[in-house]
Amino acid sequence: MTVGTCPQVRQEDRVFRVTEPESGTSETDYETDYETVCETDCRTPGHEAGRTRQRILEASMELFGVRGFHETSLREIAERVGVTKAAVLYHFPGKADILGALVEPMLVDLAAAMANAAAAGPGRARWAAVEGMLDVWLEHRYLIRLNLQDMALATPGPAFARFRDAMLRANALVAGADPDLAERVRAAQAVAMLSDPVVLFADAPVGALRAAVLDGVHRLLDGTAEPAAGPPPPARSRRGRPATMSTAMVETARRMHAAGSSAPQIAAALGVSRATVYRHLPPAAPPPA
């Protein structure tokens, strides 16, 4: 078999893969490796090939969340899945295409949420937009740990335009008819405040997190809190801030620390004690001799 005979691979993908072998691999060896992958995957039952594709997406999500999109290589993704880089490229022409496949369901859900909000009518559109967008962020909370705008810019095709249009529509729905500048500013603040708590507290119970976020948005837009749906939360301890951090909070703290934030700044942002932050940060490097 030659590379050109695989019926499931686009011609431009064949050329790219054959002419860009992995570092330390000869072009001949790489072409042989790719042919093996192509023959195997072309003859693999659909559900198994689909499972390989899903494993690539899951591994990519994990690595992008920990290391960032730009710092993660295709080789690392392949190693995490347990396949060759050529096998990854069989399913996705490039890293941006993996990100695009991860983002696509969120963009579809976001557009649907805004369409539903717009159809809700003037009296309900604002809160339908707020709740709809929040539900999308909660559904895709591990994806939006990545920077949303960077994520949209890095994906191929019209993804950024779709993301931008959905955000503009959300702002317009929340601001209401004929808003003045102050109302447009508050709408932008309300939309912006939906994502950060979801990122910081992604491992919290979804129902409680949703209620707390909506409570804050109601306070901003209406000056009142949304009535609680269940029993009041237990009284907070008088001993200070929480002494535990979720896995997501630990990752956020370490990223903030690496970016130059101090422990007190991190503690204030995450709502925990400084001692808790210090326990999860890497030890300081010893001074030079």
Side-chain angles (χ1 to χ4, degrees):
M1 168 187 146
T2 64
V3 175
T5 62
C6 178
Q8 297 183 17
V9 184
R10 300 179 303 173
Q11 181 63 35
E12 58 268 32
D13 297 342
R14 299 180 192 122
V15 173
F16 174 81
R17 291 165 185 154
V18 172
T19 57
E20 294 196 15
E22 296 190 50
S23 176
T25 305
S26 72
E27 186 168 318
T28 301
D29 289 342
Y30 185 71
E31 181 170 338
T32 300
D33 182 35
Y34 174 68
E35 288 180 357
T36 301
V37 171
C38 190
E39 286 207 19
T40 300
D41 281 10
C42 284
R43 297 173 184 176
T44 297
H47 69 279
E48 293 185 23
R51 178 56 188 155
T52 299
R53 186 180 189 276
Q54 184 61 32
R55 287 168 55 212
I56 292 170
L57 290 174
E58 291 169 356
S60 300
M61 170 82 82
E62 181 179 349
L63 289 168
F64 291 165
V66 174
R67 294 177 49 79
F69 172 76
H70 296 290
E71 297 299 321
T72 300
S73 69
L74 286 172
R75 185 186 297 277
E76 289 173 307
I77 294 171
E79 290 174 350
R80 179 64 62 93
V81 178
V83 298
T84 65
K85 181 180 174 182
V88 174
L89 288 170
Y90 171 82
H91 291 279
F92 299 98
K95 191 168 65 170
D97 297 275
I98 297 175
L99 186 58
L102 290 170
V103 171
E104 178 63 20
M106 184 186 74
L107 292 176
V108 171
D109 289 350
L110 186 58
M114 293 306 100
N116 291 337
R124 174 63 184 153
R126 164 183 279 184
W127 290 109
V130 168
E131 293 176 12
M133 178 170 284
L134 177 57
D135 287 339
V136 172
W137 293 164
L138 288 168
E139 176 68 22
H140 301 279
R141 57 193 178 279
Y142 296 108
L143 178 62
I144 66 168
R145 284 180 177 176
L146 305 174
N147 182 286
L148 283 172
Q149 188 139 332
D150 286 348
M151 185 167 56
L153 285 168
T155 53
F160 175 73
R162 292 167 61 194
F163 176 74
R164 176 203 61 206
D165 292 347
M167 296 300 288
L168 290 173
R169 193 174 193 185
N171 276 273
L173 289 167
V174 175
D178 195 25
D180 59 22
L181 176 61
E183 289 169 330
R184 292 185 354 237
V185 169
R186 280 195 296 274
Q189 290 174 317
V191 170
M193 69 191 291
L194 295 174
S195 60
D196 281 2
V198 175
V199 172
L200 290 172
F201 307 110
D203 294 328
V206 171
L209 179 57
R210 185 180 190 275
V213 173
L214 288 177
D215 177 78
V217 178
H218 273 279
R219 291 174 188 271
L220 171 67
L221 293 179
D222 297 341
T224 59
E226 180 76 352
R236 290 187 61 179
S237 168
R238 297 179 179 272
R239 297 181 61 187
R241 294 181 173 184
T244 59
M245 292 170 63
S246 68
T247 301
M249 293 170 69
V250 172
E251 292 176 2
T252 300
R254 290 175 177 170
R255 284 198 296 268
M256 292 175 67
H257 182 258
S261 296
S262 66
Q265 290 171 327
I266 297 170
L270 299 182
V272 298
S273 68
R274 282 178 291 178
T276 301
V277 171
Y278 280 121
R279 283 202 301 272
H280 294 284
L281 293 181

